[in-house]
Amino acid sequence: MSTEDIQADTVLDARGLSCPMPMLKMKKMLKSMQKDQILEVLSTDPGSKNDIPGYCEKQNYKFLGYYDDPEDFTRYYVQT
Amino acid sequence: MQKQPGFLRQELGRGYNLIFQETWPAWISGIFLAILALILFLWWHTWGVAGGFSNWGQWIYYLLGIDESAPQKGPLLQGMSVSNIGLLVGAFVSALISKQFALQRAPRLEYLKGIVGGALMGIGAALAAGCNVGGFYSALGMLDLGGVMMMLGLFAGAYLGLQYLLWEMENLEQGGAGGESSPKKGGFDWKRAGPYIGGLFFLLILLAFQTYSWLGYTKMGGVLFIGFLIGMVMHRGRFCFANAFREPFMTGDSSMMRGVIISLIIYGFGAAAMKWSFVQPPGAGVYHPFWLGSLGGGLIFGFGMLLAGGCASGSIWRAGEGHLKLWLAVLGFFLLNYPTSRFLDQSGIKEYLGKGIFIPAILTWQGGLVLFILFLLGLFILLRWNEYTEKFVAF
């Protein structure tokens, strides 16, 4: 399954926010989700490309991948 | 032997990916940053950012007729101002070449946080006689005890700033974050043209260096160029002191702070070699107000940088990447930094803030350097321990 076909359970719109707000909101949201649910994060901050996978690795969340949306933001997928 | 077709193209592509595609690990940027800060120290002076902002503020107040006397030097001849300009252009070029430049708009509350955070950083930097660079990074690298105090203040301020952000997340819902952000359709395609425009600006910086030289200001030309390289290195590593002081409390991650520590060890040893051998005067860069000014300034600065989402140097490179919020942080910084410094000076409060203490003057060079290393290694271990235990993580 490619990243573009992933169906997320919850969407976090962090577009327009810069460091550290996308990470802060993502951390909070992931904590409130149930096991194996998928979170989709929309972000325009270039830092997210490093921060989100790095955070997932450390916290044992499954980072499913990302892709650049034609509307100039990036969609990230994380499974709890 | 078969000759590989397109060898040069392949190598260039690999080099491009390595330098401009991947984000550099914090410790790599830290090493490069230390080398550049040392070159700057050898060439000119200790690296700082707030001094340049103060110069800009001074000009603004003079041009508005609020201040009677003009600053001694123009922004193109004042060292820290010149290195700030270099840093901004360096980050801009780096963002263009790596296709990360975009004018990033933000929700209204974020703009407010940018300007208030910048203003608090300006006030904090005035108290501490320097920002995260001059008051902490360079101060510690120059073995000035004020740097240690500012570090403690920055940790405390970052912790309080994070508490505020958590409160804000619960209580102030930001409406329509998404709608305002993405660039307009049909606008200029920065990502496609970026590398070419970046290359052009790189040539312009070289030309500016040469022009300074022609006019008899070779030293300032060099400062601009070194500042430019610092901007590139900071952008490529997304090297951020706000991140370094915040993450141990936010996610527990300490990779940025460990990058800062590695950088400081190199910077400190290099600067010590230059001072001990009298290539530079031993007292160079030692003027930070131990302990009250550095500690209190660090606290206010730390809180401000959490609101702004970038420290002094981080705000500049993010501004270069196109974040409008960070432009406001820079504005808030230089509008508040100069008047606060002036007030502290004229009211006599400055006398009570403390004075610069050169660690080797108390503990000798040998003792001072050993303590410097032990202190940083101790911090390194503490941060690693926190990564595993998350003892300091706020939520």
Side-chain angles (χ1 to χ4, degrees), chain A residues 13-21 23-25 27-28 31 44-51 55 58-59 71-73, chain B residues 23 104-107 110 113 162 165 168-170 174 177-178 181-183 185 238 246 250-251 309 321 323 390 393 395:
Chain A
D13 188 354
R15 289 177 292 173
L17 297 177
S18 54
C19 192
M21 297 316 286
M23 285 298 292
L24 206 58
K25 292 194 169 205
K27 182 177 175 181
K28 187 187 157 204
K31 276 188 153 184
T44 46
D45 187 20
S48 298
K49 284 195 173 154
N50 234 27
D51 294 345
Y55 179 71
K58 194 176 161 289
Q59 297 293 329
E71 296 277 321
D72 280 317
F73 62 90
Chain B
T23 300
Q104 303 251 16
R105 284 175 288 164
E110 291 298 308
K113 279 159 69 186
L162 181 62
L165 292 181
E168 177 199 292
M169 214 163 54
E170 295 296 330
Q174 304 198 16
S181 64
S182 51
K185 267 198 220 169
R238 305 197 75 76
R246 180 192 66 227
M250 191 172 124
T251 60
E321 195 180 62
H323 295 266
E390 299 198 347
V393 176
F395 84 115

Side-chain angles (χ1 to χ4, degrees), chain B residues 357-372:
Chain B
I357 291 180
F358 188 41
I359 299 170
I362 305 168
L363 299 169
T364 72
W365 273 111
Q366 292 87 335
L369 282 173
V370 168
L371 191 74
F372 175 70

